[in-house]
Amino acid sequence: SPSTAGIQTESRPQKVCLCPFLPPQPLEVSTCLYVVQHPAEESRVLRTVPLLAACLPQGKCNVIVGRRFNEEKHPELAAVCRDSRTLILYPGPKSENLEELVQYQEVGTAKYNVIIIDGTWSQAKNMFLKNSLFHLPKQVQLNRTLSSQYVIRTQPSNICLSTLECAAVALSILERNDEIQEVLLKPLKALCSFQLQHGAQIHHSKEHLLKNGMYDKPMPKNKRKIKRMEKLLSDHSICPR
């Protein structure tokens, strides 16, 4: 069931029912989400995409699993990528701020498709760079300052968000309705709260740990990884969403 969440340790229940924290009816939205998910995410115990799908109508949150996508094997996704109404949520020098994109449009005039890459930060970067289909849609990024509520999984920096949080912010902007963000974040907050009450530890971001001298893992010897660590301390633009 999408409304249940597995628990990692044997001392805690295997499943937690989050139904009381889901909306009574799926949220009515005109935007269609396409979550392209790295295969490794399927086996993770604590995932946010099932919670997202449980809050939205059928067909509004489409999950496509894989590393490589092309016209032959994924004709539907290819058609979505070629659609002029499609946006891909991935920051970078070519990205436009989502709020600025819709700022001067009348409410309800455009029905967007939004592609979100679901995986670790390095997986998301790899998937974006190696799939030419993902370079076809208009590239957008979120400009809102939001601290991640997903405190039971480590993020690279303080401004990095989970897939559900990205979707919540994007939908609230595109649908011009801030209540959407509140509704979508409610089950995530409940999941994290339950986990913390039953022995889970708060996972600070790598940025927080490094800045506060709390990073207890061996520092990398690879020059590229060292450079990435240094960038983490000085540059927020590394966060893929």
Side-chain angles (χ1 to χ4, degrees), residues 43-54:
S43 59
R44 288 188 182 274
V45 176
L46 299 169
R47 296 174 294 153
T48 65
V49 172
L51 296 179
L52 175 62

Side-chain angles (χ1 to χ4, degrees), residues 89-93 95 117 119-122 124-125 139-142 144 146 148 154-163 165-166 205 207 228 231-232 234-241:
L89 195 57
Y90 192 89
S95 288
I117 304 174
T120 64
W121 312 115
S122 58
K125 181 180 180 180
Q139 197 176 328
V140 295
Q141 60 191 5
L142 303 176
R144 289 189 181 181
L146 178 68
S148 179
T154 304
Q155 312 283 19
S157 80
N158 297 332
I159 61 164
C160 288
L161 303 177
S162 67
T163 302
E165 289 169 315
C166 287
S205 70
E207 177 194 3
R228 196 183 302 158
K231 196 173 184 184
L232 195 59
S234 60
D235 183 11
H236 282 168
S237 68
I238 68 140
C239 192
R241 42 202 196 273

Side-chain angles (χ1 to χ4, degrees), residues 36-39 64-71 73-74 77 123-134:
V36 286
Q37 187 177 76
H38 190 280
I64 306 154
V65 180
R67 288 186 182 86
R68 300 289 178 266
F69 303 90
N70 57 50
E71 300 251 9
K73 291 183 178 179
H74 306 90
L77 179 62
Q123 287 166 353
K125 181 180 180 180
N126 192 271
M127 288 169 68
F128 177 77
L129 293 176
K130 294 191 176 179
N131 285 286
S132 58
L133 281 179
F134 298 161

Side-chain angles (χ1 to χ4, degrees), residues 184-198:
L184 289 178
L185 293 185
K186 194 174 178 182
L188 177 67
K189 289 177 182 177
L191 170 62
C192 292
S193 175
F194 187 90
Q195 290 282 315
L196 293 172
Q197 287 169 22
H198 291 78

